[in-house]
Each structure stands twice: as C-alpha cells, then as structure tokens.
C-alpha cells in the first residue's frame, strides 16, 4: 500500500463538511489535509452543477494542476456531467449515492488519474454521442453503423468510469482480464488517447463538446 491520498473538503454547510470528514478519515487509504496543506484531491459538496461551481473548479485546477476534484452534487443530469468533466472534474457522485465507501473509492480513483461517475450518466452520454465524434488526425473511421464504440467497448468503459479495476470488470462481464486490458488498449490506440482516464473523458465528450 502506498502513501494515503491527502484530501481537502469544500462545503458551504459546516454540518455536511463535518459528516464528510468523519466518513473519510476512517478510510486507511485517505488522510485529511490540514489547513494550508496541499491536497491531492479536493472533494466539493454542492447542490447543483452551477456555473459558479464550474468556475471554482477551473480556478482551483489552474492554481494547482496536480490537484484533482471530486464533485458530490444533490442534483445531477447528463448535461451536468459533460460540463463537470470538461471543467476538469475527475469524480462525480450524487449525494444520495455517496456512501462512505463509494466516496472513498472515487477519491482514490481520482488520485490515480481515473474518472468516476454514475453509470447511468455515462450510458446516456455514450448513447447521445454515437456517430458524431469529430475526426482527429490519424484516428480511424467510426465503427460500421455510425457507432463510435462497440457494445463491448462501451460496457468496459462504463465500469472503468465507475472506478472498477481490471479484475472486477472481467468478473462482472465474464471476460478474461487480458480481454479487458485489450479492449481498453484498443480504444486508447484507435483514438490516440493517453490512458484509461483519457478514454473515459473522450467517451464523455464525443460529439458533445
């Protein structure tokens, strides 16, 4: 096990902030940043993905490019997910779904460079984005029928976005770990992406931004 992920919490409601601190400080992979101490991940608790929230995310990332952001919102829609990930958010959770374990897993995934969001939001974005992705220099044509991603690729990326590891994805989809790795590699190679996180971000943005 490596060093714990150092986390800061941003919330207007002090009771909500205290509850979030209590949830995270019991997790062995996470330590809470002290006042004035740089955090690897900032957890922002908000009501909605409003313009001022996105401005705060962008400002924070411009001030410290090494800090990732996990956004926990009361209300989330597909359009909100697009805006959040475009602003640089790594993890997105609904407050009703943000259990202590799930929030901790999202924070750890963000620190590792992986994107996490509710599977239903990714599914809707992938459906909406089929066939309208802009060509990148050197990228291959879209799959037959206008789909950017095959059903197998979409299934794997949904679970990657949910913070699952390769072995977990393989078990859930009844694939071998080698197949899962090959699917992710093929997507990153075909669209000239850097890593798993970039592949998820690409899927989110395909034809939407």
């Amino acid at each position: 096990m490596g060093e714990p992920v150092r986390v800061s919490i941003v919330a207007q409601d002090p009771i909500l902030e205290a509850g979030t601190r209590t949830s995270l400080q019991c997790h062995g992979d996470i330590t809470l940043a002290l006042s004035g101490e740089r955090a690897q991940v900032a957890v922002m608790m908000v009501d909605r993905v409003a313009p001022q929230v996105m401005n705060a995310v962008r400002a924070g990332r411009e001030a410290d490019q090494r800090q990732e952001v996990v956004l926990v919102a009361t209300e989330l829609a597909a359009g909100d997910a697009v805006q959040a990930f475009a602003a640089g958010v790594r993890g997105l959770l609904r407050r009703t779904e943000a259990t202590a374990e799930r929030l901790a897993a999202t924070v750890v995934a963000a620190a590792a460079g992986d994107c996490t969001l509710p599977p239903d939001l990714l599914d809707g974005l992938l459906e909406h984005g089929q066939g309208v992705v802009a060509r990148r220099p050197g990228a291959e044509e879209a799959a037959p029928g206008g789909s950017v991603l095959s059903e197998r690729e979409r299934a794997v990326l949904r679970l990657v976005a949910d913070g699952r590891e390769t072995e977990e994805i393989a078990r859930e989809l009844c694939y071998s770990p080698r197949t899962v790795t090959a699917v992710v590699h093929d997507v990153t190679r075909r669209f000239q992406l850097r890593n798993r996180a970039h592949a998820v971000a690409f899927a989110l943005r395909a034809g939407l931004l």
Side-chain angles (χ1 to χ4, degrees), residues 21 27 32 38 44 64 79 83 94 100 160 169 188 192:
R21 284 182 173 277
H27 198 284
L32 298 178
R38 195 192 76 81
M44 297 180 65
D64 188 346
Q83 296 303 316
R94 293 185 179 91
V160 170
I169 296 172
T188 56
Q192 297 187 331

Side-chain angles (χ1 to χ4, degrees), residues 38 56-67:
R38 195 192 76 81
V57 171
R58 293 188 186 94
R61 287 188 58 79
E62 287 174 4
D64 188 346
Q65 288 291 336
R66 295 172 298 173
Q67 186 181 73

Side-chain angles (χ1 to χ4, degrees), residues 1-193:
M1 182 182 295
E3 292 293 320
V5 178
R6 198 170 300 279
V7 179
S8 63
I9 300 169
V10 180
Q12 291 186 332
D13 184 345
I15 296 178
L16 179 60
E17 180 179 351
T20 305
R21 284 182 173 277
T22 299
S23 296
L24 290 179
Q25 69 185 4
C26 297
H27 198 284
D29 291 334
I30 292 173
T31 184
L32 298 178
L34 301 175
S35 179
E37 191 174 28
R38 195 192 76 81
Q40 295 167 262
V41 179
V43 175
M44 297 180 65
M45 316 292 292
V46 300
D47 291 327
R48 297 182 304 278
V49 181
Q52 59 267 33
V53 174
M54 295 299 92
N55 290 339
V57 171
R58 293 188 186 94
R61 287 188 58 79
E62 287 174 4
D64 188 346
Q65 288 291 336
R66 295 172 298 173
Q67 186 181 73
E68 304 296 352
V69 177
V70 169
L71 201 63
V72 182
T74 303
E75 300 175 12
L76 279 179
D80 295 333
V82 173
Q83 296 303 316
F85 278 87
V89 169
R90 281 288 188 187
L92 198 58
L93 287 172
R94 293 185 179 91
R95 190 175 297 176
T96 55
E97 299 169 343
T99 62
E101 192 60 34
R102 188 163 189 181
L103 178 56
T106 301
V107 166
V108 172
D114 283 336
C115 297
T116 308
L117 77 164
D120 63 294
L121 294 189
L122 178 59
D123 187 55
L125 289 171
L126 291 175
E127 290 286 352
H128 186 68
Q130 284 187 5
V132 289
V133 64
R135 282 294 308 280
R136 299 182 179 201
E140 295 182 6
E141 295 287 350
S147 295
V148 173
L149 299 169
S150 69
E151 286 298 320
R152 182 167 70 171
E153 289 168 340
R154 289 169 56 204
V156 169
L157 284 183
R158 288 188 195 106
L159 295 177
V160 170
D162 201 30
R164 307 289 187 88
E165 298 294 338
T166 298
E167 295 285 346
E168 295 177 298
I169 296 172
R171 285 195 299 271
E172 180 151 342
L173 298 179
C174 297
Y175 297 153
S176 70
R178 179 176 296 181
T179 296
V180 174
T181 300
V183 168
V184 175
H185 174 74
D186 184 60
V187 171
T188 56
R189 178 194 59 78
R190 189 161 80 246
F191 296 107
Q192 297 187 331
L193 307 171

